[in-house]
Amino acid sequence: MTNSVLYEAPGPAAKRRALVLSAVVGAVLLALLTWVLITLGANDQLTAEKWGPLIDPTDATFTALWSLLGAGLGNTLLAAALAMAFSLVVGTLLAVSRVTAAPWYRWIVVGLVELLRGVPVVIAVFFASRVLPSLGLDMPVFWYLVIGLTAYNSVIIAEIVRAGILSLPRGQGEAAYAIGLRRSQVLRTVLLPQAFRAMLPALISQLVVVVKDTSLGFIISYADTVRQGQIIIQNLNNPIQTYLIIGVIFILINYALSRVAVFTERRLSQGRKTANAPVAAADAGE
């Protein structure tokens, strides 16, 4: 019997139990799916009238419906892209400020980070849309969503970047200081590039969260995918079908981002192995 690094490989009895358990779970899921379909059919939720506008190109409302959803998806992706960019910039600045701040004013940065981390993102978006206009900052609804998302996600990214900086060996910074680099140069040219490389999968995973949080724009009447879906539901009275399609759209987008994270992590791992190969070969030669 072979052993893996973390656990002993399953034997014949364990494999049989796993096979039986998988079959039981599969049967339960199949029965549940059958029950759901029967229930939906009994309530007239599987009719062509409900699904036709969404999946039938010959339907009279198909083109108009998908044009509406396409416009909403474009607005969603635009808000997500700007929120991602601003969150990365602000988050990096917060991380650097927290790492380099003197003790007498570090509490300000820490307090801001902890405050925004504790606020639900929906409250941040709603707060931005209500408080900023009262301060005289009248902007399109789009920017209130971006500001709310940036306020919440930037502090999460700040903690990710800070963890990446602190995970690096102290010798990295000490060697940079020894050759005469200033603190700003050490951060910009030595520590931050390595921190981003080490934490890139976690950063991309947080960007997936940004895309999902963009759907909260409907609470401030931003014409995102969910808001456009509500308009469709009001006209066609098919909430199950419309929300299911919107859910599939978000799943596909987030799955693509997740695959990017996996691909990036593998590429970085291969890069480290390639970089370490000459060193290992040299050591072996000695």
Side-chain angles (χ1 to χ4, degrees):
M1 185 179 297
T2 59
N3 294 333
S4 68
V5 176
L6 298 178
Y7 59 89
E8 189 175 72
K15 290 181 179 179
R16 284 194 298 270
R17 287 195 297 269
L19 182 61
V20 171
L21 182 60
S22 298
V24 171
V25 172
V28 171
L29 292 176
L30 181 60
L32 180 61
L33 178 61
T34 302
W35 174 78
V36 169
L37 291 176
I38 292 174
T39 303
L40 290 174
N43 289 277
D44 297 328
Q45 295 298 322
L46 300 179
T47 61
E49 181 184 359
K50 297 286 187 179
W51 284 98
L54 290 163
I55 62 175
D56 184 8
T58 62
D59 190 280
T61 59
F62 178 86
T63 302
L65 185 149
W66 278 101
S67 296
L68 199 64
L69 283 179
L73 180 60
N75 291 336
T76 294
L77 295 178
L78 178 60
L82 287 179
M84 289 176 188
F86 293 150
S87 295
L88 285 171
V89 173
V90 176
T92 302
L93 292 176
L94 286 174
V96 171
S97 299
R98 185 166 181 178
V99 170
T100 61
W104 64 270
Y105 72 89
R106 183 178 295 131
W107 65 271
I108 300 176
V109 181
V110 175
L112 177 63
V113 170
E114 295 301 325
L115 173 65
L116 293 177
R117 282 179 63 189
V119 174
V121 62
V122 64
I123 299 299
V125 173
F126 191 78
F127 189 81
S129 67
R130 291 295 180 268
V131 173
L132 294 181
S134 66
L135 297 177
L137 297 175
D138 289 323
M139 297 179 289
V141 176
F142 165 80
W143 288 109
Y144 298 137
L145 176 61
V146 172
I147 291 171
L149 292 176
T150 301
Y152 176 80
N153 289 283
S154 61
V155 296
I156 306 298
I157 290 176
E159 290 299 282
I160 294 174
V161 175
R162 185 175 73 92
I165 294 174
L166 296 179
S167 69
L168 298 175
R170 294 185 60 183
Q172 297 281 336
E174 292 172 353
Y177 286 123
I179 62 175
L181 295 181
R182 297 189 300 273
R183 174 182 288 184
S184 60
Q185 293 175 315
V186 172
L187 283 169
R188 186 177 68 255
T189 61
V190 178
L191 298 182
L192 280 178
Q194 295 185 77
F196 275 111
R197 189 178 300 114
M199 306 305 291
L200 192 57
L203 288 171
I204 296 177
S205 297
Q206 185 59 33
L207 299 183
V208 172
V209 176
V210 175
V211 175
K212 292 191 294 186
D213 288 345
T214 308
S215 62
L216 295 173
F218 80 95
I219 67 172
I220 57 175
S221 299
Y222 177 60
D224 67 333
T225 310
V226 176
R227 180 64 178 171
Q228 303 294 68
Q230 290 177 333
I231 296 173
I232 293 170
I233 291 168
Q234 291 172 1
N235 288 275
L236 300 179
N237 192 27
N238 59 347
I240 294 176
Q241 294 77 10
T242 300
Y243 283 134
L244 181 61
I245 293 296
I246 291 174
V248 170
I249 291 173
F250 274 99
I251 289 172
L252 292 176
I253 293 172
N254 291 323
Y255 177 76
L257 288 175
S258 299
R259 297 311 301 171
V260 169
V262 172
F263 173 78
T264 303
E265 187 174 9
R266 288 177 179 173
R267 292 284 294 180
L268 291 176
S269 298
Q270 292 174 358
R272 284 193 291 267
K273 290 179 181 178
T274 304
N276 292 333
V279 177
D283 292 340
E286 293 179 359

